[in-house]
């Protein structure tokens, strides 16, 4: 019975992400760069920022393929593709998770310039590129490595604990010390 529930939950979550609304094809040939490392699964990155699936590292060059679709849950979306053509991703913005409009989420996710990582240690750069959290990271490094936590779980970036979705059923808790450095990470 548990297995049937799990399969149904996965199928419903994938079906909810399929783009069904009108799309406007992008005429913009600009190359953008991902501003933080993120994951996508089954061709979809949700603004809930799940930490499972295929990693797209920070500074990955992408093109916007289309803007203006909607998924089955009514969330606005846009499509991107990596410049090398290996990844085509529907980015679905749920305002309850992101706290911002589709345009603002797109501007948070993509920029016309690469993010300068030269001021960070090699170890910090590796964590950022791999989308990993680690003790000793600053808030700034966390934002580059994992992106913004969903606002429904972490209403303020000044909060002592940031909560990310690890997957559909688990969350990752990142706790900062008074010095603004990660002191604990756990999954629940």
């Amino acid at each position: 019975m548990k297995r049937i529930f799990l399969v149904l939950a996965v199928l419903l979550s994938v079906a909810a992400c399929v783009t069904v609304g009108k799309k406007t094809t992008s005429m913009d040939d600009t190359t953008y760069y991902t501003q933080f490392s993120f994951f996508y699964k089954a061709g979809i990155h949700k603004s809930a920022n799940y930490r499972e699936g295929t990693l797209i590292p920070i500074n990955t060059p992408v093109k916007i393929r289309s803007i203006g679709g909607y998924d089955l849950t009514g969330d606005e979306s846009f499509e991107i593709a990596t410049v090398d053509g290996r990844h085509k991703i529907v980015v679905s913005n749920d305002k309850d998770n992101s706290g911002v409009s589709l345009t603002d989420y797109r501007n948070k996710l993509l920029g016309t310039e690469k993010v300068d990582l030269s001021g960070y240690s090699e170890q910090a750069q590796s964590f950022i590129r791999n989308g990993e959290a680690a003790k000793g990271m600053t808030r700034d490094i966390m934002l580059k490595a994992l992106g913004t936590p969903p606002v429904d779980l972490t209403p303020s970036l000044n909060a002592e604990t940031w909560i990310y979705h690890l997957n559909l059923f688990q969350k990752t808790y990142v706790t900062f010390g008074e010095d603004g450095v990660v002191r604990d990470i756990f999954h629940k």
Side-chain angles (χ1 to χ4, degrees), residues 3-185:
R3 185 175 234 171
I4 292 171
F5 175 73
L6 179 61
V7 170
L8 283 173
V10 169
L11 289 174
L12 286 173
S13 67
V14 169
C17 297
V18 175
T19 302
V20 295
K22 181 181 174 187
K23 293 182 188 179
T24 305
T25 303
S26 174
M27 302 308 248
D28 184 3
D29 196 38
T30 304
T31 297
Y32 295 91
Y33 299 92
T34 56
Q35 300 297 289
F36 56 88
S37 296
F38 67 90
F39 291 84
Y40 76 94
K41 188 173 181 179
I44 300 150
H45 167 72
K46 296 282 285 178
S47 60
N49 205 359
Y50 292 102
R51 311 303 307 156
E52 66 177 351
T54 302
L55 171 70
I56 299 296
I58 192 170
N59 289 330
T60 298
V62 300
K63 301 264 185 187
I64 296 175
R65 293 172 37 97
S66 66
I67 300 171
Y70 293 88
D71 65 20
L72 290 175
T73 63
D75 295 332
E76 292 181 293
S77 66
F78 63 97
E79 288 183 66
I80 60 174
T82 55
V83 169
D84 64 12
R86 292 179 47 218
H87 306 274
K88 292 179 180 144
I89 305 159
V90 173
V91 178
S92 179
N93 181 50
D94 178 349
K95 281 179 134 179
D96 292 338
N97 294 130
S98 70
V100 296
S101 69
L102 180 67
T103 300
D104 289 341
Y105 190 73
R106 188 176 64 239
N107 292 339
K108 188 186 294 189
L109 180 66
L110 306 174
T112 56
E113 310 254 335
K114 286 186 174 185
V115 177
D116 182 10
L117 301 177
S118 64
Y120 300 111
S121 70
E122 285 297 319
Q123 183 181 33
Q125 289 182 41
S126 177
F127 284 130
I128 292 169
R129 281 192 212 89
N130 291 318
E132 298 174 354
K135 290 181 181 179
M137 290 176 129
T138 63
R139 292 174 191 267
D140 182 56
I141 295 172
M142 282 293 301
L143 289 172
K144 289 173 177 53
L146 272 67
T148 308
V151 297
D152 58 328
L153 301 176
T154 307
S156 170
L157 294 180
N158 294 322
E160 178 184 0
T161 301
W162 291 2
I163 305 169
Y164 290 88
H165 291 284
L166 181 61
N167 55 44
L168 194 58
F169 303 105
Q170 294 181 299
K171 294 178 177 55
T172 299
Y173 296 77
V174 179
T175 304
F176 295 90
E178 290 182 17
D179 58 357
V181 172
V182 175
R183 66 177 159 91
D184 193 26
I185 301 166

